[in-house]
Amino acid sequence: MNHSVLVRAHGDASVMRYETTALPRPGPHEVLVRQEAVGVNFVDTMVRTGAFPAPLPTVLGFEAAGVVAAAGPETAFQAGERVGYFFAPNAYADFNVVDASALVRLPDDITTRQAAAFLAKGLTAWMGLRALHPLKAGDSILVQGASGSVGSVLVRWARHLGATVIGVAGSAQKLPGVARASSLALVASDPYLVDKVRALKPHGVDAVYDFVGEASFPSSLAAVRDGGSILTIGAASGAPRPDRQELVRRAISIRGGGAPQYVTPANQAAASGELFAAVRAGIFDDVDIVRHPLEGASAVHAAIDARRLTGLPVLVPRHVGDHTGA
């Protein structure tokens, strides 16, 4: 028997349904994963509302970790191997069939709960720190949306790599968490935000990581130095609309994208290896991983919509129970 969380119509969290569904079977190049932890990401809410296109009905989610239950004959996986994935559909379920190329083998010292919490968010941070703007020790960065799920990972990793990190929290309630990981922590609503950034870095920061989009872009542009970079990763408030002439005049580059564009089957083992090393080193130890039952996914989405979610949520199927190793 399988259980899945799906939507048959777009809307708020009330459209989500926990249902009994057919147990899927893997094809020749696929693997059936018995899932122990399912990651929750902002894009899941976009699928639910229709902002991210997907045919209906659809099972939500793109990230999970668990154990191989069965593997197609043309894969290199065996039953019993521990695996995770960060961008494959239909993740909110007890079991999921995943293309073998999307799977990452998990080291023995990385739990499935850690993998489900950090794979998508951590590899998105890796994209920002390694591909979009290869961060160097001594760089200064501003992170708009530093209290969000990816932002909270990126600020800690960037600080570990030797950067001066200025983190911007979405609210005063979230400021303490940002302050723990930043050289300077600010609130997005602060009318003197740019002045405070420039007081620390008079010429501006080397790079801005912007997870917010249109609402934060004016302050991102004002805070970055001439010749610097703005990295747009997601756009919770909508896509920014920059003044192209201003960008050219100040030689500011804008780059962006999503993790699947930069973390590919060719490099995902190396990228995930760097992420697991960061987890192992304790860089993210003060970021709480919060368990929720899979059947309670709608409550997690409601908390995201209300901006009152704390920690990194993982959804746990009933068959996992209270197993602490997951």
Side-chain angles (χ1 to χ4, degrees):
M1 184 178 294
N2 194 29
H3 299 93
S4 303
V5 176
L6 46 77
V7 295
R8 300 183 182 279
H10 295 133
D12 63 20
S14 67
V15 303
M16 298 167 63
R17 296 288 182 267
Y18 178 73
E19 299 183 8
T20 300
T21 54
L23 186 67
R25 295 175 179 271
H29 300 279
E30 296 175 328
V31 169
L32 177 65
V33 181
R34 181 183 184 271
Q35 306 198 139
E36 294 181 347
V38 178
V40 179
N41 296 287
F42 187 74
V43 68
D44 305 347
T45 70
M46 296 175 66
V47 173
R48 189 197 75 224
T49 63
F52 187 98
L56 297 179
T58 188
V59 175
L60 296 174
F62 295 94
E63 174 186 31
V67 177
V68 173
E74 297 183 33
T75 75
F77 290 91
Q78 303 292 326
E81 288 189 86
R82 300 173 61 251
V83 294
Y85 58 90
F86 70 96
F87 201 77
N90 308 319
Y92 286 20
D94 295 347
F95 291 85
N96 194 19
V97 164
V98 181
D99 191 282
S101 65
L103 292 174
V104 175
R105 286 183 169 88
L106 302 183
D108 291 342
D109 60 349
I110 300 295
T111 68
T112 49
R113 196 182 313 172
Q114 288 173 319
F118 286 112
L119 266 174
K121 301 162 192 68
L123 291 176
T124 301
W126 180 93
M127 171 193 74
L129 299 171
R130 296 303 195 201
L132 294 181
H133 175 78
L135 194 74
K136 306 182 300 297
D139 279 358
S140 59
I141 66 170
L142 173 69
V143 182
Q144 303 268 24
S147 54
S149 56
V150 180
S152 63
V153 172
L154 188 142
V155 293
R156 286 160 173 80
W157 206 344
R159 182 182 63 175
H160 178 76
L161 293 172
T164 297
V165 179
I166 304 171
V168 181
S171 67
Q173 290 79 10
K174 296 182 177 181
L175 190 62
V178 174
R180 289 196 302 269
S182 306
S183 304
L184 174 64
L186 304 169
V187 178
S189 59
D190 186 342
Y192 302 104
L193 186 150
V194 174
D195 293 336
K196 291 176 181 179
V197 172
R198 289 282 183 164
L200 183 65
K201 292 292 176 180
H203 298 293
V205 295
D206 297 308
V208 178
Y209 291 90
D210 196 327
F211 296 97
V212 180
E214 184 177 9
S216 59
F217 192 82
S219 60
S220 295
L221 185 59
V224 72
R225 67 170 173 81
D226 290 358
S229 301
I230 299 176
L231 301 319
T232 60
I233 306 173
S237 68
R241 292 173 285 186
D243 180 337
R244 297 293 175 185
Q245 290 184 332
E246 174 78 355
L247 296 177
V248 171
R249 183 182 70 80
R250 295 183 55 202
I252 295 168
S253 63
I254 297 181
R255 292 188 293 279
Q261 295 173 252
Y262 293 92
V263 184
T264 66
N267 68 5
Q268 70 180 13
S272 59
E274 280 195 70
L275 171 62
F276 294 149
V279 172
R280 196 176 288 122
I283 295 169
F284 315 123
D285 278 0
D286 68 328
V287 179
D288 292 332
I289 300 174
V290 184
R291 287 168 51 114
H292 302 267
L294 179 62
E295 60 267 33
S298 61
V300 177
H301 275 232
I304 294 172
D305 291 348
R307 300 195 176 191
R308 54 180 172 79
L309 188 72
T310 58
L312 300 184
V314 295
L315 305 174
V316 181
R318 288 179 180 174
H319 63 239
V320 177
D322 293 326
H323 176 50
T324 57

